[in-house]
Amino acid sequence: MLPDRPTKLVPPVLAKMAAWCACLILVGVVVYFFALVIARLTFVALPVAIALLLTALLFPLTNSLRQAGMRPIYATWITMLVALTILVGTGWLVGARASDEFPNLVQQVQATARSVQDWLITGPIHLKEAQITSYVDEIATMVNAQRTAITGTVLSAGAVAFEVLASIVLLLFVTFFLLKDGDRIWAWVLRGFGTVAPRVDRAGRAAWATLSHYVQGTVAVAAVHGLIMGIVLAGMGVPLWAPLAVLIFFASFIPIVGIFFAGTVATLVTLGAKGLVYALIFLGILIVEQQLENHVLQPLIVGRALNFHPLAIILVLAIGGILAGIAGAAVAVPVAAVIYRALPELRHQPPALPPPSYGPGEDKGPRGDAGGGPGEVPRPRGEGAAPRDDASGPHGAEPGGTGAERGSKGENGRRVDTE
């Protein structure tokens, strides 16, 4: 009686809540230590994560080349060369445009600053030139105060550059082998899960489909966004329009936060180069285009893969940014989408396979599913089907009789002559 008494003193609802809390605490501890391991291995984890995203983006090209009859190694090399060509060409275009247009930008910013200064002196505000000079001196003092920190950052840039170079090399290697041997790597991983391998396989394939759809859709939406904003900036005659368009393209991969940052930079450059009117026009076009993207392009291209509420996206972005900064915010949404799609497949029990249908000349074995016991000939599916002419097994004898017997009873009880 004593062992049962403490149990009876606890209400069943409280006991269930305690069990759930214990499970959640255990899961939280595991996730916490897993996050610590990932944080310690950021040098490896981040390139691998980016490689997965690049593989999801580039795999359709590799798969098309394979289906055309090309060997996997050649298809992978062609895919990597095409990607590197596009990346290098974009970098060369941005660098060339920036080198040509930066002096023009400086001149335009100086002219805009002089016009703003004249307006502050002669306009409705009627500031004095001494006041403006004091404001400029304060800004210069603030910049000089941060010179030490800027110098220290530049001096430590050598070590950062080496780490970035090593990360890029690792990224390229991982992407290459995922494109070339991704199916074999996944088959090798599945062998470690034993009897639950089918569930893990379904979950992995669902996660991969979601990731591929997200990456390809996001690249398409970002390309449209960058192209439209680049055309607008070029039409306004804003210097550095090509680098700004590329910045908007890459910033579109970080939902909400990225476009806010890139739009602010582009608006400030437009303000400094062309003045307040052009900056307001560009800001209005950016807001309208962003709304069209959020309500038309994103739901049509990416929304079907994620099906996330905006509040969920904001919370995921906040958590990713807190845990891992800009990189965490960039990968937070696809990681959450992959987990959201993979968990139901892990929990889902596949339905039982339907009983096989047997046609004429097929043997159902000693214990068929189409009806009858040993020795009976199953009738093909469908009403009014004729009895089978051949009731013999795979070795010429009936499943339930001897080789000397000439026939057997069908499902309707009539004797079927096998001659």
Side-chain angles (χ1 to χ4, degrees), residues 211-288:
L211 183 65
S212 300
H213 196 149
Y214 171 80
V215 173
Q216 295 165 12
T218 302
V219 169
V221 172
V224 172
H225 193 42
L227 179 62
I228 292 177
M229 290 296 99
I231 293 175
V232 171
L233 291 171
M236 290 182 175
V238 178
L240 303 179
W241 62 267
L244 291 175
V246 174
L247 177 63
I248 293 174
F249 169 76
F250 284 109
S252 299
F253 288 94
I254 306 177
I256 301 174
V257 179
I259 193 60
F260 176 79
F261 169 76
T264 301
V265 173
T267 304
L268 290 177
V269 172
T270 306
L271 175 63
K274 305 298 293 184
L276 181 61
V277 176
Y278 281 91
L280 292 177
I281 293 174
F282 172 77
L283 183 60
I285 295 175
L286 178 65
I287 294 175
V288 172

Side-chain angles (χ1 to χ4, degrees), residues 358-410:
Y358 297 95
E362 293 182 349
D363 181 26
K364 67 166 186 165
R367 296 286 297 175
D369 293 332
E376 293 184 354
V377 180
R379 184 176 60 186
R381 292 179 180 269
E383 294 294 331
R388 195 173 60 177
D389 292 334
D390 186 10
S392 61
H395 300 291
E398 293 180 6
T402 63
E405 292 179 352
R406 308 285 298 181
S408 61
K409 291 184 178 182

